[in-house]
Amino acid sequence: MPAERRDTVIEQSVPAPFADTMTYQVATDVRALRAFVSAAALTRGLPPDRVEVLTLAVSELASNTLQHTTGGGRVLLWAESGHLFCDVVDQGPSRTFGRSMPATDAVRGRGLAIVEQICDEVAVLTSAGETVVRIRLAL
């Protein structure tokens, strides 16, 4: 469930030497990306059931990148102050969160709604040619 304060995640900076990073370019990279996220999250102390949540969220965001942008993306993962942070970065447009789950007969549109519902906090940051979806889970 999203946290009440949505600015907390934005305030965190990426401690570059401490973040694990992986890039992805094509759909066949997503399997390796899931393994990377799972291993990095377990190493940082995220409980196994929460690792599954994080892996699902990152997989949904990466799939969104591959479907709606060109050039692929990258994932950065780090822990800080009892929280696990994960940035999914691409060159696509900003994402809109706060949507309700699509109707059961809808063919698409659940990925971002799922991410927002299963993560503790989600934020979107945009800068020169990049969009970052930052997610946070408590350790």
Side-chain angles (χ1 to χ4, degrees), residues 128-139:
E130 282 191 339
T131 297
V132 178
V133 177
R134 181 168 291 170
I135 55 181
R136 179 186 61 80
L137 296 172
L139 289 172

Side-chain angles (χ1 to χ4, degrees), residues 4 8 17 44 52 55 60 64 67 72-73 78 85 99 106 114 138:
E4 290 179 22
T8 306
R44 285 174 169 74
E52 290 179 15
T55 303
E60 290 294 335
N64 188 286
Q67 289 176 6
W78 73 100
F85 294 91
R99 300 185 247 181
I114 288 170

Side-chain angles (χ1 to χ4, degrees), residues 106-135:
V107 177
R108 302 174 65 117
R110 288 180 183 77
L112 297 180
I114 288 170
V115 170
E116 192 167 23
Q117 288 184 10
I118 64 176
C119 295
D120 295 338
E121 193 168 15
V122 179
V124 178
L125 308 115
T126 56
S127 63
E130 282 191 339
T131 297
V132 178
V133 177
R134 181 168 291 170
I135 55 181

